[in-house]
Amino acid sequence: MRSVKVEDVLRGGYEGERVLLRGWVYRRRKTGGVAFVVLRDSSGILQCVAERERGEVYDIAKKVRIESSVEVCGTVRREDKAPGGYEVLLDDIRVVHMAEAFPINRYKSEEYLLDNRHLWLRSREMTAVMKIRSTVFGAIHEFFRENGYYEVQAPMFVGSAVEGGSTLFEVPYFDKKAYLTQSAQFYLEAFIYSLEKVYTVAPSFRAEKSRTRRHLTEFWHAEAEVAWYGNEDMMKDEELLMEHIVRRVLAERKSELEYLGRDLDRLRAVEAPFERMRYERLIEMARDIGVEISYGDDLGADEERAITKEFEKPVFVTHYPSETKPFYHRPDPENPSVVLCHDLLAPEGYGEIIGGGERIWKLDVLLQRIRSYGLNPDDYSMYIDLRRYGSVPHAGFGLGVDRAVMWIAGLDHINKAIAFPRTIRRLRP
Ligand code: 4AD
Ligand code: MG
């Protein structure tokens, strides 16, 4: 007999039929002469019933421990009181593995659940998030491939910083030292001379000492780089990417979003185009709502939370003062004290999910910027070399995928958006 999935039973396809199901014991209880086993598989949960007259089946169902793996057989029938409206009247149950007492039973602290994430991963909450996350990753690849981008791969071991030295992870590398990559950007820039439009989805690493709700030390980064693009061209692709991701999740993961209590109307509002706002205007707006910040300050997590609570949709913030951004951003020809960059801030307090912009593509300007930032040109020889042979205007961006998942799923901490989060205090499990 072929096994069926819980979701197929709940769809009503097997009413009156005998089915085989495989899964894990989610809940178990006994009332009067009946034992209930709620079975969980990757697709959902389903009530199974064993009556006392069934003898051995009843005895097993009565005693099987939570999270044991089982195979059950029985007949599907409608039952309004069962979750999902169907149940299975058991005629057979086989315990594949009797679980030990499951360590997550009653209420447990967030810290305990993180310590046991390998087990908490089975919870309905984490299952819903992991399904949404899978859809988000799929939608990213789909968007890029449908829009003429080539997927490429960059190294994880690198020799120098992209996003500033303070968040570099140093690792021994034979008799030298290497760093873990902060961003694939410089390598993606090398690819545009042949492939023109490229993207990669890979981990990036940052030795973030700040403990915020939105920082991981290892996060998933979807980055793109495009020849002949300016800042505005890049933002146009990004808003379509974000719209595509959100639509896909709404189409495929509605029940998971609902399970997590997400307000779907907030997501339905995510339609391109998004507003473009200059940094200068953002600072004014922030001051109007009482945030203590002045022109030239970088926006921290708290400031962004306060400001983006006011937003209905994601907003692009452009033209940051150059000293708030890394050296590679192209200065605005109309006002060289600001750069042609953008951050995409997610609404509802979530804040920055994308950083990107136009790159300096002229050799002399790049050399001058590297020096004025006090950096050593020898560390950037590849990057400099790329401006020597047929350099072209180009732009790119990086999307923090875990942050996007956090926002779309409506989570209150980034460590709920990734299965095994890495933070300053957490390297296990
Ligand atoms: O703004 P960032 O630092 O930009 C770059 O790395 C560029 N080189 C990307 C590019 O243009 N190719 O990082 C990009 C995004 C941020 O907007 C944020 O969403 C995410 O990466 N991010 C993090 N996510 C989780 N934890 C961290 N510690 C993160 N640091 C950045
Ligand atoms: Mg940034």
Side-chain angles (χ1 to χ4, degrees):
M1 208 173 166
R2 256 184 64 220
S3 66
V4 301
K5 285 279 165 233
V6 165
E7 65 183 351
D8 298 327
V9 172
L10 295 180
R11 263 191 220 119
Y14 292 95
E15 196 178 340
E17 285 178 45
R18 187 167 181 265
V19 294
L20 161 68
L21 289 141
R22 298 195 166 113
W24 292 264
V25 176
Y26 178 67
R27 294 267 186 281
R28 195 207 59 203
R29 100 192 123 84
K30 190 175 60 127
T31 42
V34 190
F36 292 96
V37 170
V38 178
L39 182 87
R40 174 178 66 71
D41 73 6
S42 59
S43 69
I45 59 168
L46 176 64
Q47 175 167 297
C48 302
V49 190
E51 294 170 342
R52 179 174 286 156
E53 298 78 71
R54 275 286 170 188
E56 201 197 350
V57 175
Y58 172 76
D59 290 340
I60 294 171
K62 193 170 76 173
K63 280 190 269 182
V64 64
R65 273 194 290 266
I66 299 291
E67 289 305 324
S68 296
S69 45
V70 293
E71 284 182 334
V72 301
C73 285
T75 308
V76 177
R77 63 184 188 193
R78 281 209 68 93
E79 170 53 66
D80 291 339
K81 276 179 262 152
Y86 287 89
E87 67 178 11
V88 174
L89 183 61
L90 296 182
D91 57 57
D92 198 9
I93 180 166
R94 188 169 83 85
V95 177
V96 177
H97 177 249
M98 180 66 101
E100 296 179 22
F102 200 62
I104 307 172
N105 36 39
R106 323 172 285 283
Y107 169 78
K108 298 286 185 192
S109 71
E110 301 264 337
E111 206 55 23
Y112 183 88
L113 296 179
L114 280 163
D115 288 339
N116 289 281
R117 180 52 74 81
H118 54 298
L119 301 178
W120 183 240
L121 211 48
R122 309 172 179 205
S123 64
R124 295 188 76 195
E125 181 184 334
M126 283 307 295
T127 304
V129 175
M130 289 303 118
K131 287 183 183 178
I132 292 169
R133 190 177 161 99
S134 170
T135 298
V136 169
F137 275 77
I140 291 171
H141 286 284
E142 218 170 55
F143 175 86
F144 283 125
R145 285 162 185 274
E146 280 170 10
N147 286 281
Y149 285 79
Y150 291 97
E151 183 177 8
V152 298
Q153 291 77 32
M156 301 288 108
F157 282 130
V158 296
S160 52
V162 178
E163 295 297 316
S166 66
T167 62
L168 272 181
F169 272 113
E170 201 177 296
V171 284
Y173 196 77
F174 306 108
D175 56 348
K176 296 198 188 66
K177 65 185 180 197
Y179 306 103
L180 296 177
T181 185
Q182 296 168 306
S183 160
Q185 181 189 325
F186 292 177
Y187 293 95
L188 296 192
E189 288 188 53
F191 281 108
I192 63 160
Y193 298 89
S194 50
L195 300 175
E196 298 192 38
K197 294 173 86 171
V198 294
Y199 83 98
T200 193
V201 181
S204 280
F205 305 88
R206 309 266 169 111
E208 301 279 2
K209 288 179 195 90
S210 55
R211 260 190 251 153
T212 72
R213 290 159 201 257
R214 55 176 210 175
H215 283 95
L216 295 166
T217 52
E218 177 181 313
F219 68 96
W220 281 80
H221 210 169
E223 296 185 273
E225 199 70 31
V226 188
W228 315 105
Y229 263 29
N231 205 31
E232 177 58 32
D233 303 313
M234 199 67 264
M235 287 189 279
K236 283 206 175 88
D237 277 12
E238 288 163 37
E239 63 196 359
L240 293 175
L241 166 67
M242 296 318 298
E243 181 185 85
H244 179 72
I245 296 172
V246 170
R247 288 203 177 152
R248 261 275 174 277
V249 175
L250 278 169
E252 288 174 15
R253 299 293 162 216
K254 189 158 165 278
S255 63
E256 285 79 10
L257 291 169
E258 280 166 351
Y259 181 81
L260 296 170
R262 186 68 171 108
D263 180 351
L264 300 186
D265 286 333
R266 303 297 303 247
L267 295 179
R268 291 192 187 106
V270 181
E271 265 182 28
F274 304 154
E275 187 184 344
R276 277 84 166 135
M277 185 189 285
R278 286 181 172 247
Y279 165 89
E280 202 179 338
R281 171 81 194 96
L282 185 80
I283 296 296
E284 276 171 26
M285 231 194 77
R287 293 171 67 107
D288 286 348
I289 60 165
V291 178
E292 274 181 45
I293 194 163
S294 36
Y295 189 93
D297 290 347
D298 203 2
L299 275 86
D302 294 340
E303 290 83 26
E304 277 186 14
R305 182 156 349 115
I307 301 165
T308 60
K309 276 199 174 129
E310 314 279 310
F311 293 169
E312 294 284 316
K313 289 205 295 186
V315 172
F316 282 114
V317 182
T318 64
H319 300 84
Y320 282 71
S322 54
E323 62 276 13
T324 65
K325 291 286 172 189
F327 71 91
Y328 53 72
H329 288 289
R330 182 174 169 217
D332 181 358
E334 285 168 24
N335 173 11
S337 76
V338 299
V339 288
L340 297 175
C341 69
H342 59 267
D343 277 4
L344 182 66
L345 308 187
E348 302 171 73
Y350 284 98
E352 182 190 342
I353 53 173
I354 286 180
E358 237 173 284
R359 322 304 190 189
I360 296 174
W361 61 283
K362 293 197 169 140
L363 181 64
D364 52 342
V365 184
L366 183 65
L367 289 171
Q368 181 265 320
R369 275 284 151 136
I370 287 176
R371 284 195 205 95
S372 73
Y373 272 68
L375 301 168
N376 180 358
D378 294 344
D379 289 337
Y380 298 95
S381 54
M382 172 190 90
Y383 201 65
I384 293 165
D385 222 30
L386 291 173
R387 275 79 185 152
R388 288 202 168 101
Y389 313 98
S391 191
V392 287
H394 60 285
F397 74 93
L399 164 69
V401 188
D402 318 279
R403 283 195 191 171
V405 171
M406 180 187 173
W407 161 55
I408 292 169
L411 308 174
D412 61 10
H413 202 294
I414 198 167
N415 65 22
K416 293 183 178 163
I418 182 167
F420 297 103
R422 294 288 171 259
T423 61
I424 185 167
R425 289 179 309 145
R426 188 164 292 281
L427 200 52
R428 289 201 178 89

Coordinates of all heavy atoms in Angstrom, one line a residue, residues 90-126:
L90 N -8.4 4.1 13.2 CA -7.2 3.2 13.0 C -7.6 1.7 13.1 O -8.4 1.3 14.0 CB -6.2 3.5 14.1 CG -5.5 4.9 14.1 CD1 -4.5 5.0 15.2 CD2 -4.8 5.1 12.8
D91 N -6.9 0.9 12.2 CA -7.0 -0.5 12.4 C -5.6 -1.1 12.5 O -5.4 -2.3 12.8 CB -7.8 -1.2 11.2 CG -7.2 -0.9 9.9 OD1 -6.0 -1.1 9.7 OD2 -7.9 -0.3 9.0
D92 N -4.6 -0.2 12.4 CA -3.2 -0.7 12.5 C -2.3 0.4 12.9 O -2.5 1.5 12.4 CB -2.7 -1.4 11.2 CG -1.5 -2.3 11.4 OD1 -1.2 -2.5 12.6 OD2 -0.9 -2.7 10.5
I93 N -1.3 0.2 13.8 CA -0.3 1.2 14.1 C 1.0 0.5 14.3 O 1.0 -0.5 15.0 CB -0.8 2.0 15.3 CG1 0.3 3.1 15.6 CG2 -1.0 1.2 16.5 CD1 -0.2 4.2 16.6
R94 N 2.0 1.0 13.7 CA 3.4 0.4 13.9 C 4.3 1.5 14.4 O 4.4 2.5 13.7 CB 3.9 -0.2 12.6 CG 5.2 -1.0 12.7 CD 5.5 -1.8 11.5 NE 6.2 -0.9 10.5 CZ 7.5 -0.7 10.5 NH1 8.3 -1.3 11.4 NH2 8.0 0.1 9.6
V95 N 4.9 1.3 15.5 CA 5.9 2.2 16.0 C 7.2 2.0 15.4 O 7.8 0.9 15.6 CB 6.0 2.2 17.6 CG1 7.0 3.2 18.1 CG2 4.6 2.5 18.2
V96 N 7.7 2.9 14.6 CA 8.9 2.7 13.9 C 10.1 3.0 14.9 O 11.1 2.3 14.9 CB 9.0 3.6 12.6 CG1 10.4 3.5 12.0 CG2 7.9 3.3 11.7
H97 N 9.9 4.0 15.6 CA 10.8 4.3 16.7 C 10.1 5.0 17.9 O 9.5 6.0 17.7 CB 12.0 5.2 16.3 CG 12.9 5.6 17.4 ND1 13.0 6.9 17.9 CD2 13.8 4.8 18.1 CE1 13.9 6.8 18.9 NE2 14.4 5.6 19.0
M98 N 10.2 4.3 19.0 CA 9.6 4.9 20.2 C 10.5 6.0 20.8 O 11.6 5.7 21.1 CB 9.4 3.8 21.3 CG 8.7 4.3 22.6 SD 7.0 4.9 22.3 CE 6.1 3.5 23.0
A99 N 10.0 7.2 20.7 CA 10.8 8.4 21.2 C 11.1 8.3 22.7 O 10.2 7.8 23.4 CB 10.2 9.7 20.8
E100 N 12.2 8.9 23.1 CA 12.4 9.1 24.5 C 11.5 10.3 24.9 O 11.0 10.9 24.0 CB 13.9 9.5 24.8 CG 14.8 8.3 24.5 CD 16.3 8.6 24.7 OE1 16.6 9.6 25.5 OE2 17.1 8.0 24.1
A101 N 11.4 10.6 26.2 CA 10.6 11.7 26.6 C 11.0 13.0 25.9 O 12.2 13.4 26.0 CB 10.6 11.9 28.1
F102 N 10.2 13.6 25.1 CA 10.6 14.8 24.3 C 10.9 16.0 25.2 O 10.1 16.3 26.1 CB 9.5 15.1 23.3 CG 10.0 16.0 22.1 CD1 11.0 15.5 21.3 CD2 9.5 17.2 21.9 CE1 11.5 16.2 20.2 CE2 10.0 18.0 20.9 CZ 11.0 17.5 20.0
P103 N 12.1 16.6 25.1 CA 12.4 17.6 26.0 C 11.6 18.9 25.9 O 11.7 19.8 26.8 CB 13.9 17.9 25.7 CG 14.2 17.2 24.5 CD 13.1 16.3 24.1
I104 N 10.9 19.1 24.8 CA 10.1 20.3 24.7 C 8.7 19.9 24.9 O 8.0 19.3 24.0 CB 10.3 21.0 23.3 CG1 11.8 21.2 23.0 CG2 9.5 22.3 23.2 CD1 12.0 21.7 21.6
N105 N 8.1 20.2 26.1 CA 6.7 19.8 26.3 C 5.9 21.1 26.6 O 5.3 21.6 25.7 CB 6.6 18.8 27.4 CG 7.6 18.9 28.5 OD1 7.9 20.0 28.9 ND2 8.1 17.8 29.0
R106 N 5.9 21.5 27.8 CA 5.1 22.7 28.2 C 5.8 24.0 27.6 O 6.7 23.9 26.8 CB 5.0 22.9 29.7 CG 4.9 21.7 30.5 CD 4.9 22.0 32.0 NE 6.3 22.3 32.4 CZ 7.3 21.4 32.6 NH1 7.0 20.1 32.4 NH2 8.4 21.7 33.0
Y107 N 5.5 25.1 28.2 CA 6.1 26.4 27.8 C 7.6 26.3 28.1 O 8.0 25.9 29.1 CB 5.4 27.6 28.5 CG 6.2 28.8 28.3 CD1 6.1 29.5 27.1 CD2 7.2 29.2 29.3 CE1 6.9 30.6 26.9 CE2 8.0 30.3 29.0 CZ 7.8 31.0 27.9 OH 8.6 32.1 27.6
K108 N 8.4 26.8 27.1 CA 9.8 26.9 27.3 C 10.3 28.2 26.9 O 9.7 28.9 26.0 CB 10.5 25.8 26.5 CG 10.2 24.4 26.8 CD 10.8 24.0 28.1 CE 10.6 22.5 28.4 NZ 10.9 22.1 29.8
S109 N 11.4 28.7 27.5 CA 11.9 30.0 27.2 C 12.5 30.0 25.8 O 12.9 29.0 25.2 CB 13.0 30.4 28.2 OG 14.1 29.6 27.9
E110 N 12.6 31.2 25.2 CA 13.2 31.4 23.9 C 14.6 30.8 23.8 O 15.0 30.2 22.9 CB 13.3 32.9 23.5 CG 11.9 33.6 23.5 CD 11.3 33.7 22.1 OE1 12.1 33.6 21.1 OE2 10.1 33.8 22.0
E111 N 15.3 31.0 24.9 CA 16.7 30.6 25.0 C 16.8 29.0 25.0 O 17.6 28.4 24.3 CB 17.3 31.1 26.3 CG 18.8 31.3 26.3 CD 19.4 32.1 25.2 OE1 18.6 33.0 24.7 OE2 20.5 32.0 24.9
Y112 N 15.9 28.4 25.7 CA 15.8 26.9 25.7 C 15.5 26.4 24.3 O 16.1 25.4 23.8 CB 14.7 26.5 26.7 CG 14.6 25.0 26.9 CD1 15.4 24.3 27.8 CD2 13.7 24.3 26.1 CE1 15.3 22.9 27.9 CE2 13.6 22.9 26.2 CZ 14.4 22.2 27.1 OH 14.3 20.9 27.3
L113 N 14.5 27.1 23.6 CA 14.2 26.6 22.3 C 15.3 26.8 21.3 O 15.5 26.0 20.4 CB 12.9 27.4 21.8 CG 11.7 27.1 22.6 CD1 10.5 28.0 22.1 CD2 11.3 25.7 22.7
L114 N 16.1 27.8 21.5 CA 17.3 28.0 20.7 C 18.4 27.0 21.0 O 19.0 26.4 20.0 CB 17.9 29.4 20.9 CG 17.2 30.6 20.2 CD1 17.6 31.9 20.7 CD2 17.5 30.5 18.7
D115 N 18.5 26.6 22.2 CA 19.5 25.5 22.6 C 19.0 24.2 22.0 O 19.9 23.3 21.7 CB 19.5 25.4 24.1 CG 20.3 26.5 24.8 OD1 21.0 27.2 24.1 OD2 20.0 26.7 26.0
N116 N 17.7 24.1 21.8 CA 17.2 22.8 21.2 C 16.6 23.0 19.8 O 15.7 22.4 19.5 CB 16.1 22.3 22.2 CG 16.8 21.7 23.4 OD1 17.3 20.6 23.5 ND2 16.8 22.6 24.5
R117 N 17.2 23.9 19.1 CA 16.6 24.3 17.8 C 16.5 23.0 16.8 O 15.6 22.9 16.1 CB 17.5 25.4 17.1 CG 17.0 25.8 15.8 CD 15.6 26.3 15.7 NE 15.2 27.5 16.3 CZ 15.3 28.7 15.7 NH1 15.9 28.9 14.6 NH2 14.9 29.8 16.3
H118 N 17.5 22.1 17.0 CA 17.4 20.9 16.2 C 16.1 20.1 16.4 O 15.6 19.4 15.5 CB 18.6 20.0 16.4 CG 18.8 19.7 17.8 ND1 19.1 20.6 18.8 CD2 18.8 18.5 18.5 CE1 19.2 20.0 20.0 NE2 19.1 18.7 19.8
L119 N 15.5 20.3 17.6 CA 14.3 19.6 17.9 C 13.1 20.6 17.7 O 12.0 20.2 17.2 CB 14.3 19.1 19.4 CG 15.4 18.1 19.7 CD1 15.3 17.7 21.2 CD2 15.3 16.9 18.8
W120 N 13.3 21.8 18.0 CA 12.2 22.8 17.9 C 11.9 23.1 16.4 O 10.8 23.5 16.0 CB 12.6 24.1 18.6 CG 11.6 25.2 18.5 CD1 11.8 26.5 18.0 CD2 10.3 25.2 19.0 NE1 10.6 27.2 18.1 CE2 9.7 26.5 18.8 CE3 9.5 24.3 19.7 CZ2 8.4 26.8 19.1 CZ3 8.2 24.6 20.1 CH2 7.7 25.8 19.8
L121 N 12.8 22.7 15.5 CA 12.6 22.8 14.1 C 11.3 22.0 13.7 O 10.7 22.3 12.6 CB 13.8 22.1 13.4 CG 14.3 22.6 12.1 CD1 14.4 24.1 12.0 CD2 15.6 22.0 11.7
R122 N 10.9 21.1 14.5 CA 9.7 20.3 14.1 C 8.4 21.0 14.5 O 7.3 20.5 14.2 CB 9.7 19.0 15.0 CG 10.9 18.2 14.9 CD 10.8 17.1 15.9 NE 12.0 16.3 15.8 CZ 12.1 15.0 16.1 NH1 11.1 14.4 16.6 NH2 13.2 14.3 16.0
S123 N 8.5 22.1 15.3 CA 7.3 22.8 15.7 C 6.5 23.3 14.5 O 7.1 23.5 13.4 CB 7.7 24.0 16.6 OG 8.4 24.9 15.9
R124 N 5.3 23.5 14.7 CA 4.5 24.0 13.6 C 4.9 25.4 13.2 O 4.9 25.8 12.0 CB 3.0 24.0 14.0 CG 2.5 22.6 14.2 CD 1.0 22.6 14.4 NE 0.3 22.7 13.1 CZ -1.0 23.0 13.0 NH1 -1.7 23.2 14.1 NH2 -1.6 23.1 11.8
E125 N 5.3 26.2 14.2 CA 5.8 27.6 13.9 C 7.1 27.5 13.0 O 7.1 28.2 12.0 CB 6.1 28.2 15.3 CG 6.6 29.6 15.1 CD 7.0 30.2 16.5 OE1 6.5 29.8 17.5 OE2 7.8 31.1 16.5
M126 N 8.1 26.7 13.4 CA 9.3 26.7 12.6 C 9.0 26.0 11.2 O 9.6 26.4 10.2 CB 10.4 25.9 13.3 CG 11.1 26.6 14.4 SD 11.8 28.2 14.0 CE 13.0 27.8 12.8

